[in-house]
Amino acid sequence: MTKGNIRASGLNIIRKETAAITAMEASINDAFVSAVELIAECKGRLVISGVGKSAIIAQKIVATFNSTGTPAAFMHAADAIHGDLGMVGEGDILMIISKSGESPEIRALLPLLISERNKLIGMVGNENSMLAKKADIFLNTTVSEEACLHNLAPTSSTTAQLVMGDALAITLMEIKGFGPDDFAKFHPGGTLGKKLYLRVNDLYIHNAKPKVGADASLKEVIMEMTSKRLGATAVVGDKQELLGIITDGDLRRMLEKNANTASVHARDIMSSTPTTIQKDALAVEALEVLRTKDISQLPVMDGPLYAGFIHIHDLIKEGII
């Protein structure tokens, strides 16, 4: 195949799957509403099952539900009929995902699931299947064709299942008012977790706290900045209110303009309207300010009072960037 043919093939696959997803809008119907309401009222877990590629999709959907505030568990359809059915509790809701709705494992499992104890949702791509007919709620994920050249490999159909799972999970997330703070509790690890919960207060307290008074001499300013090694110092009043800051750049600009430095004081060099951030702000907010202003450090405030500095290196060290 030529490069052009390869690109054309890739685009054709994307377009087929896009068409399949677009056609799914008709499946966001009364059955979808009923499924969302049923799961929202569930006192137990949503137990999701499938076989083959649908089992893999089921595991991903379970992970999405769990991370967005809806307790869920995976049960392989083949293992269910060999003992795993015991994991289903009285207050649980069952969901089976299948393209055909007729695989041997599912046909063997269905008679064991049909009872008044557990409601059954069927996410299936065949409305005439045993699963579609036996389920209490039928979620239609039928696709007109797979993206596969021979209409064989599960492609469009598994994409449709993923999209339906996402639609359920995120709708439930909205209904439950599941917000960023809740999300952070379930994602404490890695960069994502840090962006959601790590605050300026967690970082700046480990840094030195450079500060001078407004009457400090140039020598005192330089000594403070050198000893604290943050490339800046705060200029504070008697009550620790922030009057301004002095950076390395401020010093260089002053020295370029002023040959007589003996009479220079902190008030003469400082920037009196510095950009600041409150100590309870998210660390990722501090990063956004640093990037927007193209600066490397920010004075941290505790209300109206100066508390310290956060440096871009603090954020790099934590992997926020």
Short mmCIF file of all heavy atoms in Angstrom, two decimals, residues 35-104:
data_model
loop_
_atom_site.label_atom_id
_atom_site.label_comp_id
_atom_site.label_asym_id
_atom_site.label_seq_id
_atom_site.Cartn_x
_atom_site.Cartn_y
_atom_site.Cartn_z
N ALA A 35 -32.63 3.09 32.61
CA ALA A 35 -31.40 2.47 33.10
C ALA A 35 -30.67 3.40 34.06
O ALA A 35 -30.20 2.97 35.12
CB ALA A 35 -30.50 2.11 31.92
N VAL A 36 -30.59 4.67 33.71
CA VAL A 36 -29.92 5.65 34.58
C VAL A 36 -30.65 5.76 35.92
O VAL A 36 -30.03 5.75 36.99
CB VAL A 36 -29.85 7.03 33.89
CG1 VAL A 36 -29.41 8.10 34.88
CG2 VAL A 36 -28.90 6.98 32.70
N GLU A 37 -31.97 5.85 35.87
CA GLU A 37 -32.75 5.95 37.11
C GLU A 37 -32.59 4.71 37.97
O GLU A 37 -32.48 4.81 39.21
CB GLU A 37 -34.22 6.19 36.77
CG GLU A 37 -34.49 7.56 36.15
CD GLU A 37 -35.93 7.74 35.70
OE1 GLU A 37 -36.64 6.72 35.52
OE2 GLU A 37 -36.35 8.89 35.52
N LEU A 38 -32.59 3.54 37.34
CA LEU A 38 -32.45 2.29 38.08
C LEU A 38 -31.09 2.22 38.78
O LEU A 38 -31.01 1.88 39.97
CB LEU A 38 -32.60 1.10 37.13
CG LEU A 38 -32.50 -0.30 37.75
CD1 LEU A 38 -33.66 -0.54 38.72
CD2 LEU A 38 -32.49 -1.37 36.66
N ILE A 39 -30.03 2.56 38.06
CA ILE A 39 -28.69 2.50 38.65
C ILE A 39 -28.53 3.57 39.73
O ILE A 39 -27.91 3.32 40.77
CB ILE A 39 -27.62 2.69 37.55
CG1 ILE A 39 -27.72 1.56 36.52
CG2 ILE A 39 -26.22 2.70 38.16
CD1 ILE A 39 -26.88 1.78 35.27
N ALA A 40 -29.11 4.73 39.52
CA ALA A 40 -29.01 5.81 40.51
C ALA A 40 -29.63 5.41 41.84
O ALA A 40 -29.19 5.84 42.91
CB ALA A 40 -29.66 7.08 39.97
N GLU A 41 -30.67 4.60 41.79
CA GLU A 41 -31.39 4.18 42.99
C GLU A 41 -30.84 2.89 43.60
O GLU A 41 -31.31 2.44 44.65
CB GLU A 41 -32.87 3.99 42.67
CG GLU A 41 -33.57 5.28 42.25
CD GLU A 41 -34.97 5.05 41.70
OE1 GLU A 41 -35.37 3.86 41.65
OE2 GLU A 41 -35.63 6.02 41.32
N CYS A 42 -29.83 2.31 42.95
CA CYS A 42 -29.27 1.03 43.39
C CYS A 42 -28.63 1.15 44.77
O CYS A 42 -27.85 2.06 45.03
CB CYS A 42 -28.25 0.53 42.36
SG CYS A 42 -27.47 -1.03 42.80
N LYS A 43 -28.95 0.22 45.66
CA LYS A 43 -28.39 0.19 47.00
C LYS A 43 -27.12 -0.65 47.06
O LYS A 43 -26.37 -0.60 48.04
CB LYS A 43 -29.41 -0.36 48.00
CG LYS A 43 -30.72 0.41 48.03
CD LYS A 43 -30.50 1.87 48.38
CE LYS A 43 -31.83 2.63 48.44
NZ LYS A 43 -31.63 4.08 48.70
N GLY A 44 -26.89 -1.44 46.02
CA GLY A 44 -25.70 -2.29 45.97
C GLY A 44 -24.74 -1.82 44.90
O GLY A 44 -24.43 -0.64 44.79
N ARG A 45 -24.29 -2.78 44.08
CA ARG A 45 -23.35 -2.46 43.01
C ARG A 45 -23.98 -2.75 41.65
O ARG A 45 -24.96 -3.49 41.55
CB ARG A 45 -22.08 -3.30 43.15
CG ARG A 45 -21.32 -3.12 44.43
CD ARG A 45 -20.19 -4.15 44.50
NE ARG A 45 -20.72 -5.51 44.44
CZ ARG A 45 -19.96 -6.60 44.32
NH1 ARG A 45 -18.65 -6.49 44.25
NH2 ARG A 45 -20.51 -7.80 44.28
N LEU A 46 -23.36 -2.19 40.63
CA LEU A 46 -23.70 -2.55 39.26
C LEU A 46 -22.69 -3.61 38.83
O LEU A 46 -21.50 -3.34 38.72
CB LEU A 46 -23.61 -1.33 38.34
CG LEU A 46 -23.86 -1.58 36.86
CD1 LEU A 46 -25.28 -2.09 36.61
CD2 LEU A 46 -23.60 -0.31 36.05
N VAL A 47 -23.17 -4.85 38.63
CA VAL A 47 -22.29 -5.95 38.24
C VAL A 47 -22.40 -6.11 36.72
O VAL A 47 -23.48 -6.40 36.20
CB VAL A 47 -22.69 -7.26 38.95
CG1 VAL A 47 -21.77 -8.40 38.49
CG2 VAL A 47 -22.61 -7.09 40.46
N ILE A 48 -21.29 -5.92 36.03
CA ILE A 48 -21.29 -5.92 34.57
C ILE A 48 -20.58 -7.16 34.06
O ILE A 48 -19.48 -7.51 34.53
CB ILE A 48 -20.64 -4.65 34.01
CG1 ILE A 48 -21.29 -3.41 34.63
CG2 ILE A 48 -20.75 -4.61 32.50
CD1 ILE A 48 -20.67 -2.09 34.17
N SER A 49 -21.18 -7.81 33.08
CA SER A 49 -20.65 -9.06 32.56
C SER A 49 -20.59 -9.04 31.04
O SER A 49 -21.24 -8.23 30.38
CB SER A 49 -21.52 -10.23 33.03
OG SER A 49 -20.94 -11.48 32.66
N GLY A 50 -19.80 -9.92 30.49
CA GLY A 50 -19.68 -10.07 29.05
C GLY A 50 -18.72 -11.20 28.74
O GLY A 50 -18.14 -11.80 29.64
N VAL A 51 -18.52 -11.46 27.47
CA VAL A 51 -17.60 -12.50 27.03
C VAL A 51 -16.85 -11.99 25.80
O VAL A 51 -17.36 -11.16 25.05
CB VAL A 51 -18.35 -13.82 26.74
CG1 VAL A 51 -19.25 -13.68 25.53
CG2 VAL A 51 -17.38 -14.98 26.56
N GLY A 52 -15.63 -12.47 25.60
CA GLY A 52 -14.85 -12.04 24.45
C GLY A 52 -14.49 -10.56 24.53
O GLY A 52 -14.15 -10.04 25.60
N LYS A 53 -14.56 -9.86 23.39
CA LYS A 53 -14.22 -8.44 23.37
C LYS A 53 -15.17 -7.64 24.26
O LYS A 53 -14.78 -6.63 24.85
CB LYS A 53 -14.28 -7.90 21.93
CG LYS A 53 -13.36 -8.60 20.95
CD LYS A 53 -11.90 -8.43 21.33
CE LYS A 53 -10.98 -8.96 20.23
NZ LYS A 53 -11.14 -10.43 20.03
N SER A 54 -16.41 -8.08 24.34
CA SER A 54 -17.38 -7.36 25.19
C SER A 54 -16.99 -7.42 26.66
O SER A 54 -17.30 -6.52 27.43
CB SER A 54 -18.79 -7.94 24.99
OG SER A 54 -19.25 -7.70 23.68
N ALA A 55 -16.29 -8.50 27.05
CA ALA A 55 -15.83 -8.61 28.43
C ALA A 55 -14.75 -7.57 28.71
O ALA A 55 -14.70 -6.98 29.80
CB ALA A 55 -15.29 -10.01 28.70
N ILE A 56 -13.90 -7.32 27.73
CA ILE A 56 -12.86 -6.30 27.88
C ILE A 56 -13.50 -4.92 27.99
O ILE A 56 -13.10 -4.09 28.83
CB ILE A 56 -11.88 -6.35 26.70
CG1 ILE A 56 -11.17 -7.71 26.67
CG2 ILE A 56 -10.87 -5.22 26.77
CD1 ILE A 56 -10.34 -7.95 25.44
N ILE A 57 -14.50 -4.67 27.16
CA ILE A 57 -15.22 -3.40 27.22
C ILE A 57 -15.91 -3.25 28.58
O ILE A 57 -15.91 -2.18 29.18
CB ILE A 57 -16.26 -3.29 26.09
CG1 ILE A 57 -15.57 -3.35 24.72
CG2 ILE A 57 -17.09 -2.02 26.22
CD1 ILE A 57 -14.56 -2.25 24.47
N ALA A 58 -16.47 -4.35 29.07
CA ALA A 58 -17.15 -4.33 30.37
C ALA A 58 -16.20 -3.91 31.48
O ALA A 58 -16.56 -3.14 32.37
CB ALA A 58 -17.74 -5.70 30.67
N GLN A 59 -14.96 -4.40 31.43
CA GLN A 59 -13.98 -4.04 32.46
C GLN A 59 -13.65 -2.56 32.42
O GLN A 59 -13.49 -1.91 33.47
CB GLN A 59 -12.71 -4.87 32.27
CG GLN A 59 -12.91 -6.36 32.56
CD GLN A 59 -11.66 -7.17 32.31
OE1 GLN A 59 -10.68 -7.07 33.05
NE2 GLN A 59 -11.68 -7.97 31.26
N LYS A 60 -13.55 -2.01 31.22
CA LYS A 60 -13.28 -0.57 31.12
C LYS A 60 -14.46 0.23 31.66
O LYS A 60 -14.28 1.22 32.37
CB LYS A 60 -13.01 -0.20 29.65
CG LYS A 60 -12.55 1.24 29.45
CD LYS A 60 -13.71 2.22 29.34
CE LYS A 60 -13.21 3.68 29.24
NZ LYS A 60 -14.34 4.64 29.31
N ILE A 61 -15.68 -0.18 31.33
CA ILE A 61 -16.86 0.54 31.80
C ILE A 61 -16.97 0.45 33.32
O ILE A 61 -17.33 1.43 33.99
CB ILE A 61 -18.13 0.00 31.11
CG1 ILE A 61 -18.08 0.33 29.61
CG2 ILE A 61 -19.39 0.57 31.74
CD1 ILE A 61 -19.21 -0.26 28.80
N VAL A 62 -16.63 -0.70 33.89
CA VAL A 62 -16.61 -0.85 35.35
C VAL A 62 -15.64 0.17 35.95
O VAL A 62 -15.96 0.83 36.95
CB VAL A 62 -16.20 -2.28 35.74
CG1 VAL A 62 -15.77 -2.34 37.21
CG2 VAL A 62 -17.34 -3.25 35.50
N ALA A 63 -14.45 0.31 35.36
CA ALA A 63 -13.47 1.25 35.87
C ALA A 63 -14.00 2.68 35.81
O ALA A 63 -13.80 3.47 36.73
CB ALA A 63 -12.17 1.13 35.07
N THR A 64 -14.70 3.02 34.73
CA THR A 64 -15.27 4.36 34.59
C THR A 64 -16.33 4.62 35.64
O THR A 64 -16.37 5.68 36.27
CB THR A 64 -15.86 4.55 33.18
OG1 THR A 64 -14.82 4.36 32.22
CG2 THR A 64 -16.43 5.95 33.02
N PHE A 65 -17.21 3.65 35.86
CA PHE A 65 -18.25 3.80 36.89
C PHE A 65 -17.61 4.00 38.26
O PHE A 65 -17.99 4.90 39.01
CB PHE A 65 -19.16 2.57 36.91
CG PHE A 65 -20.32 2.64 35.96
CD1 PHE A 65 -20.44 1.75 34.90
CD2 PHE A 65 -21.31 3.59 36.13
CE1 PHE A 65 -21.51 1.82 34.02
CE2 PHE A 65 -22.39 3.67 35.26
CZ PHE A 65 -22.49 2.78 34.20
N ASN A 66 -16.66 3.15 38.61
CA ASN A 66 -16.04 3.25 39.93
C ASN A 66 -15.36 4.59 40.15
O ASN A 66 -15.38 5.15 41.26
CB ASN A 66 -15.04 2.12 40.13
CG ASN A 66 -15.71 0.80 40.48
OD1 ASN A 66 -16.72 0.78 41.18
ND2 ASN A 66 -15.16 -0.30 40.00
N SER A 67 -14.72 5.13 39.11
CA SER A 67 -13.98 6.37 39.27
C SER A 67 -14.87 7.60 39.24
O SER A 67 -14.41 8.71 39.52
CB SER A 67 -12.91 6.50 38.18
OG SER A 67 -13.51 6.67 36.91
N THR A 68 -16.15 7.42 38.91
CA THR A 68 -17.08 8.55 38.85
C THR A 68 -18.22 8.43 39.86
O THR A 68 -19.25 9.08 39.71
CB THR A 68 -17.64 8.72 37.42
OG1 THR A 68 -18.21 7.47 36.98
CG2 THR A 68 -16.55 9.14 36.45
N GLY A 69 -18.03 7.58 40.86
CA GLY A 69 -18.97 7.56 41.98
C GLY A 69 -20.07 6.54 41.94
O GLY A 69 -20.99 6.57 42.77
N THR A 70 -20.03 5.58 40.98
CA THR A 70 -21.03 4.51 40.94
C THR A 70 -20.33 3.18 41.18
O THR A 70 -19.59 2.71 40.31
CB THR A 70 -21.76 4.48 39.57
OG1 THR A 70 -22.43 5.73 39.37
CG2 THR A 70 -22.77 3.35 39.52
N PRO A 71 -20.54 2.54 42.33
CA PRO A 71 -19.87 1.27 42.62
C PRO A 71 -20.21 0.20 41.59
O PRO A 71 -21.38 -0.03 41.27
CB PRO A 71 -20.42 0.89 44.00
CG PRO A 71 -20.87 2.18 44.60
CD PRO A 71 -21.39 2.99 43.45
N ALA A 72 -19.19 -0.44 41.03
CA ALA A 72 -19.39 -1.44 40.00
C ALA A 72 -18.37 -2.56 40.14
O ALA A 72 -17.33 -2.39 40.76
CB ALA A 72 -19.29 -0.81 38.61
N ALA A 73 -18.70 -3.72 39.58
CA ALA A 73 -17.81 -4.88 39.62
C ALA A 73 -17.93 -5.64 38.31
O ALA A 73 -19.00 -5.65 37.68
CB ALA A 73 -18.13 -5.78 40.81
N PHE A 74 -16.85 -6.31 37.90
CA PHE A 74 -16.86 -7.10 36.67
C PHE A 74 -17.03 -8.58 36.99
O PHE A 74 -16.42 -9.10 37.93
CB PHE A 74 -15.57 -6.89 35.90
CG PHE A 74 -15.40 -7.82 34.74
CD1 PHE A 74 -16.21 -7.70 33.61
CD2 PHE A 74 -14.46 -8.83 34.78
CE1 PHE A 74 -16.08 -8.57 32.53
CE2 PHE A 74 -14.30 -9.71 33.70
CZ PHE A 74 -15.12 -9.58 32.58
N MET A 75 -17.86 -9.26 36.20
CA MET A 75 -18.05 -10.70 36.33
C MET A 75 -18.03 -11.30 34.92
O MET A 75 -18.89 -11.00 34.10
CB MET A 75 -19.39 -11.00 37.00
CG MET A 75 -19.71 -12.49 37.11
SD MET A 75 -21.33 -12.78 37.91
CE MET A 75 -22.47 -12.13 36.66
N HIS A 76 -17.02 -12.12 34.63
CA HIS A 76 -16.94 -12.73 33.30
C HIS A 76 -18.09 -13.72 33.13
O HIS A 76 -18.38 -14.52 34.03
CB HIS A 76 -15.60 -13.44 33.12
CG HIS A 76 -15.28 -13.73 31.69
ND1 HIS A 76 -15.87 -14.77 31.00
CD2 HIS A 76 -14.43 -13.12 30.82
CE1 HIS A 76 -15.41 -14.79 29.76
NE2 HIS A 76 -14.53 -13.80 29.62
N ALA A 77 -18.73 -13.67 31.99
CA ALA A 77 -19.91 -14.51 31.77
C ALA A 77 -19.58 -15.99 31.86
O ALA A 77 -20.39 -16.79 32.37
CB ALA A 77 -20.52 -14.19 30.40
N ALA A 78 -18.39 -16.39 31.38
CA ALA A 78 -18.02 -17.80 31.43
C ALA A 78 -17.75 -18.24 32.86
O ALA A 78 -18.12 -19.36 33.27
CB ALA A 78 -16.79 -18.04 30.57
N ASP A 79 -17.13 -17.37 33.66
CA ASP A 79 -16.84 -17.72 35.05
C ASP A 79 -18.09 -17.67 35.92
O ASP A 79 -18.17 -18.35 36.95
CB ASP A 79 -15.80 -16.76 35.62
CG ASP A 79 -14.44 -16.91 34.95
OD1 ASP A 79 -14.16 -18.03 34.48
OD2 ASP A 79 -13.69 -15.93 34.89
N ALA A 80 -19.07 -16.87 35.50
CA ALA A 80 -20.30 -16.72 36.30
C ALA A 80 -21.01 -18.05 36.48
O ALA A 80 -21.53 -18.34 37.56
CB ALA A 80 -21.23 -15.72 35.63
N ILE A 81 -21.03 -18.86 35.44
CA ILE A 81 -21.75 -20.15 35.52
C ILE A 81 -20.90 -21.23 36.17
O ILE A 81 -21.31 -22.39 36.28
CB ILE A 81 -22.22 -20.61 34.13
CG1 ILE A 81 -21.04 -20.76 33.17
CG2 ILE A 81 -23.25 -19.64 33.57
CD1 ILE A 81 -21.43 -21.26 31.79
N HIS A 82 -19.70 -20.85 36.62
CA HIS A 82 -18.82 -21.79 37.33
C HIS A 82 -18.48 -21.26 38.72
O HIS A 82 -17.40 -21.54 39.24
CB HIS A 82 -17.55 -22.04 36.52
CG HIS A 82 -17.78 -22.77 35.25
ND1 HIS A 82 -18.07 -24.13 35.19
CD2 HIS A 82 -17.81 -22.33 33.96
CE1 HIS A 82 -18.23 -24.49 33.94
NE2 HIS A 82 -18.09 -23.41 33.16
N GLY A 83 -19.39 -20.50 39.31
CA GLY A 83 -19.23 -20.10 40.69
C GLY A 83 -19.19 -18.61 40.96
O GLY A 83 -19.55 -18.18 42.06
N ASP A 84 -18.79 -17.80 39.98
CA ASP A 84 -18.66 -16.37 40.23
C ASP A 84 -20.00 -15.66 40.40
O ASP A 84 -20.05 -14.52 40.85
CB ASP A 84 -17.88 -15.68 39.10
CG ASP A 84 -16.38 -15.87 39.27
OD1 ASP A 84 -15.98 -16.65 40.16
OD2 ASP A 84 -15.61 -15.25 38.51
N LEU A 85 -21.08 -16.35 40.04
CA LEU A 85 -22.41 -15.77 40.23
C LEU A 85 -22.68 -15.47 41.70
O LEU A 85 -23.53 -14.64 42.03
CB LEU A 85 -23.47 -16.72 39.67
CG LEU A 85 -24.88 -16.17 39.46
CD1 LEU A 85 -24.86 -14.95 38.56
CD2 LEU A 85 -25.80 -17.25 38.88
N GLY A 86 -21.91 -16.11 42.57
CA GLY A 86 -22.06 -15.88 44.00
C GLY A 86 -21.67 -14.48 44.43
O GLY A 86 -22.00 -14.06 45.55
N MET A 87 -20.99 -13.74 43.56
CA MET A 87 -20.60 -12.37 43.91
C MET A 87 -21.76 -11.40 43.82
O MET A 87 -21.67 -10.28 44.32
CB MET A 87 -19.47 -11.90 42.99
CG MET A 87 -19.88 -11.67 41.56
SD MET A 87 -18.49 -11.20 40.49
CE MET A 87 -18.23 -9.51 41.05
N VAL A 88 -22.86 -11.80 43.19
CA VAL A 88 -24.01 -10.92 43.01
C VAL A 88 -24.83 -10.87 44.28
O VAL A 88 -25.33 -11.89 44.75
CB VAL A 88 -24.88 -11.38 41.83
CG1 VAL A 88 -26.06 -10.42 41.65
CG2 VAL A 88 -24.05 -11.44 40.55
N GLY A 89 -24.95 -9.68 44.87
CA GLY A 89 -25.73 -9.52 46.09
C GLY A 89 -27.17 -9.17 45.80
O GLY A 89 -27.55 -8.85 44.67
N GLU A 90 -27.98 -9.20 46.84
CA GLU A 90 -29.42 -8.99 46.67
C GLU A 90 -29.74 -7.58 46.16
O GLU A 90 -30.70 -7.40 45.41
CB GLU A 90 -30.14 -9.23 48.01
CG GLU A 90 -31.65 -9.18 47.90
CD GLU A 90 -32.35 -9.64 49.17
OE1 GLU A 90 -31.68 -10.20 50.04
OE2 GLU A 90 -33.57 -9.42 49.28
N GLY A 91 -28.96 -6.61 46.55
CA GLY A 91 -29.25 -5.23 46.13
C GLY A 91 -28.54 -4.81 44.85
O GLY A 91 -28.61 -3.65 44.45
N ASP A 92 -27.87 -5.76 44.19
CA ASP A 92 -27.11 -5.43 42.99
C ASP A 92 -27.98 -5.38 41.74
O ASP A 92 -29.05 -6.00 41.68
CB ASP A 92 -25.99 -6.45 42.76
CG ASP A 92 -24.92 -6.41 43.84
OD1 ASP A 92 -24.85 -5.39 44.55
OD2 ASP A 92 -24.17 -7.39 43.96
N ILE A 93 -27.50 -4.65 40.75
CA ILE A 93 -28.12 -4.62 39.42
C ILE A 93 -27.14 -5.28 38.46
O ILE A 93 -25.92 -5.08 38.56
CB ILE A 93 -28.41 -3.17 38.97
CG1 ILE A 93 -29.47 -2.56 39.87
CG2 ILE A 93 -28.86 -3.13 37.51
CD1 ILE A 93 -29.64 -1.07 39.67
N LEU A 94 -27.65 -6.05 37.52
CA LEU A 94 -26.82 -6.75 36.56
C LEU A 94 -26.87 -6.06 35.20
O LEU A 94 -27.94 -5.57 34.79
CB LEU A 94 -27.28 -8.20 36.41
CG LEU A 94 -27.06 -9.08 37.64
CD1 LEU A 94 -28.03 -10.25 37.64
CD2 LEU A 94 -25.63 -9.58 37.70
N MET A 95 -25.75 -6.04 34.52
CA MET A 95 -25.72 -5.56 33.14
C MET A 95 -24.87 -6.54 32.32
O MET A 95 -23.74 -6.87 32.71
CB MET A 95 -25.12 -4.16 33.03
CG MET A 95 -25.06 -3.65 31.59
SD MET A 95 -24.13 -2.09 31.42
CE MET A 95 -25.25 -0.96 32.26
N ILE A 96 -25.41 -7.02 31.23
CA ILE A 96 -24.66 -7.89 30.32
C ILE A 96 -24.44 -7.13 29.02
O ILE A 96 -25.37 -6.57 28.44
CB ILE A 96 -25.40 -9.21 30.05
CG1 ILE A 96 -25.55 -10.01 31.34
CG2 ILE A 96 -24.64 -10.04 29.01
CD1 ILE A 96 -26.27 -11.33 31.17
N ILE A 97 -23.18 -7.14 28.58
CA ILE A 97 -22.81 -6.47 27.33
C ILE A 97 -22.49 -7.52 26.28
O ILE A 97 -21.72 -8.45 26.53
CB ILE A 97 -21.59 -5.55 27.55
CG1 ILE A 97 -21.89 -4.51 28.62
CG2 ILE A 97 -21.18 -4.88 26.25
CD1 ILE A 97 -20.70 -3.64 28.98
N SER A 98 -23.10 -7.38 25.11
CA SER A 98 -22.88 -8.36 24.04
C SER A 98 -23.24 -7.73 22.70
O SER A 98 -24.16 -6.92 22.62
CB SER A 98 -23.73 -9.61 24.29
OG SER A 98 -23.65 -10.50 23.21
N LYS A 99 -22.52 -8.14 21.66
CA LYS A 99 -22.90 -7.69 20.32
C LYS A 99 -24.09 -8.50 19.82
O LYS A 99 -25.10 -7.96 19.38
CB LYS A 99 -21.74 -7.83 19.35
CG LYS A 99 -22.13 -7.43 17.92
CD LYS A 99 -21.03 -7.67 16.92
CE LYS A 99 -21.52 -7.33 15.51
NZ LYS A 99 -20.48 -7.57 14.47
N SER A 100 -23.99 -9.84 19.90
CA SER A 100 -25.03 -10.70 19.35
C SER A 100 -26.15 -10.97 20.33
O SER A 100 -27.30 -11.18 19.94
CB SER A 100 -24.43 -12.03 18.90
OG SER A 100 -24.02 -12.79 20.03
N GLY A 101 -25.83 -11.00 21.62
CA GLY A 101 -26.82 -11.36 22.63
C GLY A 101 -27.19 -12.83 22.59
O GLY A 101 -28.16 -13.25 23.23
N GLU A 102 -26.40 -13.63 21.88
CA GLU A 102 -26.74 -15.04 21.68
C GLU A 102 -25.56 -15.98 21.94
O GLU A 102 -25.66 -17.16 21.64
CB GLU A 102 -27.22 -15.26 20.23
CG GLU A 102 -28.53 -14.57 19.89
CD GLU A 102 -29.75 -15.28 20.46
OE1 GLU A 102 -29.58 -16.39 21.03
OE2 GLU A 102 -30.86 -14.73 20.38
N SER A 103 -24.47 -15.47 22.49
CA SER A 103 -23.31 -16.35 22.71
C SER A 103 -23.68 -17.44 23.72
O SER A 103 -24.52 -17.24 24.61
CB SER A 103 -22.12 -15.54 23.22
OG SER A 103 -22.43 -14.88 24.42
N PRO A 104 -23.08 -18.64 23.60
CA PRO A 104 -23.45 -19.78 24.47
C PRO A 104 -23.35 -19.46 25.95
O PRO A 104 -24.21 -19.88 26.74
CB PRO A 104 -22.44 -20.86 24.06
CG PRO A 104 -22.06 -20.52 22.66
CD PRO A 104 -22.07 -19.02 22.59
#
